[in-house]
Amino acid sequence: MKRLIAGGTLLGCLVVAASCGGDPAVAPQDNTTRAVGDTPAATTSTTGASTATSSTVEAAVTTAAGSTTTTSSTTTTTTPPTTTITTTTTTTTATSTTTTIPPEPTLWERLQALGREGIGDALYPTLGASGYDVESYLIAFRFDPETGWLSGSSTIAAVATTDLDLFSLDFFGMETSSVIVNSVPADYEQVSEELIIAPSRTLGEGEPMTVSVSYEGVVASRPARAIQGLTSGGRWSTDEGTFFMMNEPDGSAALAPFNDHPLDKALVTVEVEVPEGWTAVSGGILEEVRQEKDTSVFRWSMQQPVAPYLIPLGIGKFASRPEPDPLGLEITTWYPEGLDLELIDPFTDQHRILGFLSELFGPYPFDTLGAMVVDAGLGLALEHQTLPTYDLSLVQEEVVVHELAHQWFGNSVSVSDWSDIWLNEGPATLSQWLWTEEILGVIDYDREVANHYRLFSGEFFLSGDTTEAIERATAMAARRFYPPGLPSADDLFNYSVYGRGALTLVALRDHLGDEPFFRMLRTWHDTHRYGNATTADLLSLVSETGGGPARDLVESWLYEPLPPAMPERDLYPLGHEENAQG
Ligand SMILES: [Zn+2]
């Protein structure tokens, strides 16, 4: 993901300059100007009814002696309103024996008791699901752009990874009308952004299952969990009524039920029916365009597994043009009809960028490539697999480099846990600097590195040379930027995972030398292509390549509160004696 670069420059420091005198809690310094339509983040989700509620359970009990009595118990639970059980029968007799029947646990309570409500993510414990592994999704829906109404059905092919009598999919906002597992209707509940499903019989470990879910409604929007102050969660649109998705890490489940975590990647086919004149754009291959009576159906199919957050989708009045493709790929840019084509000039250079990145990291991992442009004034771009989505404000060459680098780092090799987000953003940001080095020369690369070092060390915030000023500036940097290996759940895209993540790799490149460094990155992609990896995996590879000292270096960059010194570049923490001398 890439967020708005104010003034069209990538120098984070320039953006910080505009806001560094303000409240340090205002915003992460992510080269970001806040997007249109932002709302303050709430502490709880506004959809999915996750608030605590009280349910009163009353049960009439007939005793063995034949007399009947009324018992009443009140329980306070964290289950949503949809799970409230109210059964009321009131009869009294003179003699009574009291027996309390515990309320039947809801599917949600049973799922929680099994510890199966998430895939085990350190930052977002309820995200994803466990107990099964998805192989493919077929997501088919009809969409009315006038009203935003969506009527759909998803067919999910999966394999049980344990004996499975209960499982969930991430899903929120729309109403489910039926769930069928292996051709038999299943019980289900929709609560807390989860669709919980109880098949009619327990599936054995290793058993395949086909889950069909029918649903309809309006794709929901809600405060983004991972970005303070941003509304996200599925529905994005432009003034012209273009609908699109930009949902890292957890909003795709507003469109369809998913095991919405990068750890469960799957093949995806998207089939969208829209009114005539509208176009539905997604990733992979456009397999079919079918004209119905007053509608058109677009069928797109991904040829490699994809994490749900990386599925592109745009529905609008799009035009398209092919781009130069000397590598033999189909490269297509989709843009709003009538757009001034000069505004999308940077895409004509994509094949050059792709050639450059392929030399560094190994062959481009997918069969197709394109770009989707939306004019939403959002200041966001997202590296959707095979078809990154760019707000018009971010159609800039350096952003194109960033999103293309993600096809290797993030898309082909995905994180196993969102706490490893720097594994996506560090290499993508480094790639921008490497492109700068390629195009403008090493002096510009060095300047990029030095500027970022000054930002993360606190030098950028320095307003004097007293001990107090140094302490203040250092503290400000530490407060604004967490160490990139230790992200926080409500600030996942803190600029640290980008800028300090990239500096981590610069330090490693300096330490190892170019040949071992880039060989290591190619090995990384070769080893984990189309799968997942962790920071621990990278640290092992760093050890293999450069031994203990290289590993120690990377660990200090990832986990220490402030960046370590870079003596070979004459860059030191504030207050360091080299600084004092110099
Ligand atoms: Zn990114």
Side-chain angles (χ1 to χ4, degrees), residues 152-348:
S153 67
S154 284
T155 306
I156 301 151
V159 174
T161 54
T162 183
D163 288 344
L164 198 63
D165 62 349
L166 195 64
F167 63 94
S168 67
L169 288 154
D170 299 288
F171 192 37
F172 64 92
M174 281 186 278
E175 192 167 334
T176 302
S177 56
S178 83
V179 178
I180 293 167
V181 179
N182 290 348
S183 308
V184 182
D187 283 344
Y188 63 92
E189 265 175 25
Q190 218 176 332
V191 298
S192 260
E193 304 204 355
E194 306 274 352
L195 173 64
I196 303 139
I197 298 169
S200 63
R201 65 166 182 83
T202 301
L203 295 144
E205 185 180 343
E207 193 176 336
M209 64 174 178
T210 303
V211 184
S212 303
V213 183
S214 298
Y215 47 88
E216 62 179 356
V218 173
V219 177
S221 238
R222 53 105 158 94
R225 267 188 273 204
I227 309 174
Q228 296 168 40
L230 191 72
T231 298
S232 109
R235 176 161 50 87
W236 300 89
S237 55
T238 69
D239 292 345
E240 292 75 39
T242 301
F243 169 97
F244 63 99
M245 304 283 283
M246 225 184 265
N247 292 319
E248 186 179 12
D250 64 344
S252 293
L255 180 79
F258 286 111
N259 187 357
D260 189 8
H261 194 278
L263 207 47
D264 195 358
K265 296 159 81 164
L267 296 175
V268 173
T269 298
V270 178
E271 193 176 288
V272 188
E273 184 174 358
V274 289
E276 217 171 340
W278 290 74
T279 301
V281 182
S282 188
I285 292 174
L286 177 56
E287 285 185 336
E288 188 184 7
V289 182
R290 200 169 69 234
Q291 299 301 325
E292 303 282 343
K293 189 161 168 279
D294 300 315
T295 61
S296 309
V297 179
F298 295 83
R299 184 185 170 97
W300 291 84
S301 193
M302 288 278 193
Q303 307 301 299
Q304 283 85 22
V306 56
Y309 82 95
L310 290 170
I311 302 168
L313 179 67
I315 299 172
K317 303 274 180 78
F318 285 107
S320 69
R321 75 169 187 203
E323 305 292 356
D325 58 343
L327 298 179
L329 286 171
E330 267 180 50
I331 305 184
T332 308
T333 302
W334 298 83
Y335 55 92
E337 265 179 11
L339 189 74
D340 176 358
L341 292 184
E342 274 185 22
L343 296 173
I344 56 171
D345 254 3
F347 294 120
T348 55

Side-chain angles (χ1 to χ4, degrees), residues 1-2 248 381-383 402-403 406 424-425 428-429 498:
M1 183 188 241
K2 191 76 202 166
E248 186 179 12
L382 186 63
E383 65 268 23
H402 182 102
E403 307 309 343
H406 270 309
N424 291 4
E425 302 304 344
T429 305
Y498 296 79

Side-chain angles (χ1 to χ4, degrees), residues 415-438:
V415 294
S416 301
D417 192 284
W418 282 111
S419 61
D420 288 330
I421 182 70
W422 86 274
L423 287 175
N424 291 4
E425 302 304 344
T429 305
L430 174 71
S431 298
Q432 295 171 217
W433 303 350
L434 293 170
W435 182 247
T436 298
E437 186 182 15
E438 170 79 3

